[in-house]
């Protein structure tokens, strides 16, 4: 694979990334976790525009299913963990190309959230890093998982219910198919939990314990093509271990650890890159690499790795699969850079 880089903008503390269609045209979004803007890039020339100038503190941007570019996003989650005033906002595209952005939820310390669809119903799931803090090192009041039906009309309130609490350093999240069902994978010091929405409206949520050790971030992918998903984890919180967990018998065992010394691991993604099952990882200290891992041999099980770029300190990525190329959308947080990596055969 070949990687070609394009810098779209300089953005201090560049953190959140996303891509989805607005008016049937794909857009790419970058937002800062600091005080500042969210940018949108359009077309083959990636023309830049501004979604909002502030306040910033954006952790995630998630499109609303079935809408014409409407999305939800976190605002007011500022470094370091100054997020007691964190909110969920609703962004709606206007005909003049601007955006109407309104607060729809006040949810202190919400770090990751998603919209899961089940039985034709859109559900909000939000995971809070903690519930309160005296200072940045205080973890005495653990986080929670909140869920609720997402109204079709977001001028109506979102009614939330706590379905799990006691989640210390409740940091990581990914959407996955777990045992044939759409699920949100939530990570914390207590482990990894698969959170499954109701099959029919009015039924209860299901929570399954997947791992019971401290995990910061997670991706789910069948990296070796045997039909059983592996769990790719960064351990512990913002940690230095980037590992692949394979199900052997009835439990998961570590079968690979990224060999280089790393710290402040933050990127973990699993999916297809040029048609090949691929893991992408990244960390924000030491060599600050964005790297990839692919299965080299199934028997014995071995992996090959490659560095996409070092010295960038990525915080989050999003991957776009096109016919002739793939695009890694990367928030290179430590150098304040909104970047693309074009991937070709």
């Amino acid at each position: 694979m070949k990687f070609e880089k394009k810098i779209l903008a300089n953005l201090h503390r560049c953190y959140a990334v996303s891509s989805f269609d607005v008016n049937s045209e794909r857009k790419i979004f970058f937002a800062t976790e600091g005080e500042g803007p969210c940018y949108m890039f359009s077309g083959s020339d990636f023309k830049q525009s501004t979604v909002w100038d502030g306040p910033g503190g954006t952790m995630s941007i998630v499109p609303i299913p079935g809408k014409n570019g409407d999305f939800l996003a976190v605002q007011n989650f500022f470094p370091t963990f100054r997020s007691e005033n964190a909110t969920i906002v609703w962004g709606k595209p206007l005909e003049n190309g601007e955006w109407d952005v309104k607060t729809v939820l006040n949810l202190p310390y919400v770090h990751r959230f998603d919209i899961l669809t089940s039985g034709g119903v859109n559900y909000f799931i939000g995971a809070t890093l903690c519930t309160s803090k005296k200072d940045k090192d205080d973890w005495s009041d653990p986080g929670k998982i909140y869920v609720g039906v997402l109204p079709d009309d977001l001028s109506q309130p979102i009614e939330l219910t706590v379905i799990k609490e006691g989640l210390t350093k409740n940091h990581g999240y990914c959407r996955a198919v777990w045992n044939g069902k759409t699920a949100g994978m939530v990570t914390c010091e207590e482990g990894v939990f698969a959170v499954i929405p109701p099959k029919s409206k009015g039924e209860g949520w299901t929570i399954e314990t997947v791992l019971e050790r401290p995990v910061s971030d997670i991706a789910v992918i069948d990296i070796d093509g045997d039909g059983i998903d592996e769990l790719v984890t960064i351990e512990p919180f913002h940690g230095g271990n980037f590992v692949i967990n394979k199900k052997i018998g009835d439990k998961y065992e570590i079968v690979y650890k990224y060999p280089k010394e790393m710290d402040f691991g933050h990127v973990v993604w699993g999916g297809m890159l040029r048609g090949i099952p691929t893991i992408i990882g990244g960390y924000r200290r030491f060599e600050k690499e964005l790297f990839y891992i692919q299965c080299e041999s199934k028997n014995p099980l071995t992996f090959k790795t490659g560095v996409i770029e070092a010295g960038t300190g990525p915080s989050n990525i999003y991957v776009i699969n096109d016919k002739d190329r793939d695009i890694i959308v990367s928030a290179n947080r430590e150098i304040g850079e909104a970047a693309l990596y074009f991937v070709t055969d």
Side-chain angles (χ1 to χ4, degrees):
M1 292 186 298
K2 298 178 181 178
F3 300 92
E4 179 185 349
K5 183 180 181 181
K6 181 179 180 62
I7 300 170
L8 296 185
N10 294 317
L11 181 59
H12 182 57
R13 288 175 168 165
C14 187
Y15 189 91
V17 293
S18 191
S19 180
F20 48 88
D21 285 356
V22 180
N23 295 322
S24 301
E25 182 185 5
R26 186 176 66 208
K27 310 290 185 178
I28 294 172
F29 297 82
F30 287 89
T32 176
E33 69 166 332
E35 295 179 1
C38 172
Y39 293 141
M40 182 177 75
F41 297 88
S42 308
S44 59
D45 59 347
F46 304 103
K47 182 180 178 181
Q48 180 176 334
S49 59
T50 300
V51 180
W52 62 68
D53 290 313
T58 300
M59 298 287 102
S60 305
I61 303 169
V62 179
I64 301 174
K67 299 292 186 181
N68 185 34
D70 293 41
F71 66 83
L72 299 181
V74 174
Q75 286 187 348
N76 296 298
F77 192 114
F78 297 109
T80 304
F81 311 136
R82 293 184 295 112
S83 46
E84 63 275 11
N85 297 315
T87 58
I88 300 291
V89 299
W90 166 31
K92 183 178 180 63
L94 303 177
E95 291 184 2
N96 63 1
E98 296 184 353
W99 290 83
D100 181 34
V101 180
K102 296 178 180 177
T103 299
V104 293
L105 272 178
N106 295 307
L107 190 55
Y109 299 98
V110 60
H111 184 254
R112 298 297 187 200
F113 80 93
D114 200 2
I115 302 168
L116 301 178
T117 303
S118 178
V121 179
N122 290 333
Y123 294 94
F124 175 90
I125 174 172
T128 54
L129 183 75
C130 58
T131 300
S132 67
K133 264 186 176 299
K134 297 172 185 174
D135 54 60
K136 70 181 182 67
D137 297 317
D138 174 28
W139 298 102
S140 62
D141 194 1
K144 304 175 182 180
I145 300 173
Y146 295 79
V147 298
V149 174
L150 190 70
D152 186 61
D153 179 4
L154 280 172
S155 64
Q156 301 299 311
I158 304 172
E159 302 292 341
L160 296 183
T161 302
V162 175
I163 59 169
K164 191 168 184 63
E165 47 193 326
L167 305 180
T168 311
K169 299 179 181 178
N170 183 15
H171 180 265
Y173 175 90
C174 79
R175 187 188 305 174
V177 175
W178 185 251
N179 294 329
K181 300 174 183 176
T182 297
M185 310 296 283
V186 176
T187 72
C188 55
E189 290 290 285
E190 289 72 23
V192 177
F193 301 94
V195 185
I196 303 165
K199 185 176 180 181
S200 301
K201 191 175 182 179
E203 296 181 356
W205 287 67
T206 303
I207 302 176
E208 299 179 13
T209 302
V210 178
L211 285 178
E212 293 184 280
R213 63 175 187 262
V215 173
S216 183
D217 295 272
I218 189 169
V220 179
I221 179 177
D222 179 9
I223 191 64
D224 59 1
D226 68 350
I228 302 173
D229 284 333
E230 280 69 55
L231 307 178
V232 191
T233 53
I234 295 171
E235 305 176 18
F237 180 62
H238 285 168
N241 296 319
F242 191 99
V243 300
I244 300 174
N245 304 270
K246 184 171 181 60
K247 194 169 189 180
I248 299 174
D250 60 353
K251 65 178 183 178
Y252 285 91
E253 297 182 10
I254 295 174
V255 295
Y256 173 87
K257 179 180 182 294
Y258 188 65
K260 293 185 180 180
E261 184 180 19
M262 58 178 271
D263 188 24
F264 215 115
H266 212 277
V267 170
V268 57
W269 175 91
M272 304 299 285
L273 204 62
R274 303 312 303 141
I276 301 170
T278 304
I279 295 162
I280 298 176
Y283 52 102
R284 289 169 43 184
R285 292 182 184 152
F286 298 160
E287 293 188 36
K288 303 182 180 71
E289 291 179 332
L290 183 68
F291 60 88
Y292 71 91
I293 302 169
Q294 294 174 335
C295 184
E296 188 173 43
S297 168
K298 297 181 182 180
N299 189 18
L301 185 61
T302 59
F303 299 92
K304 62 180 180 180
T305 66
V307 176
I308 300 169
E309 189 176 19
T312 62
S315 56
N316 292 287
I317 68 161
Y318 187 97
V319 176
I320 300 168
N321 296 122
D322 277 347
K323 182 179 179 180
D324 298 322
R325 67 181 184 183
D326 295 334
I327 304 173
I328 302 170
V329 183
S330 184
N332 292 338
R333 195 258 188 207
E334 299 309 305
I335 58 173
E337 188 180 78
L340 305 179
Y341 298 90
F342 301 109
V343 188
T344 55
D345 298 324

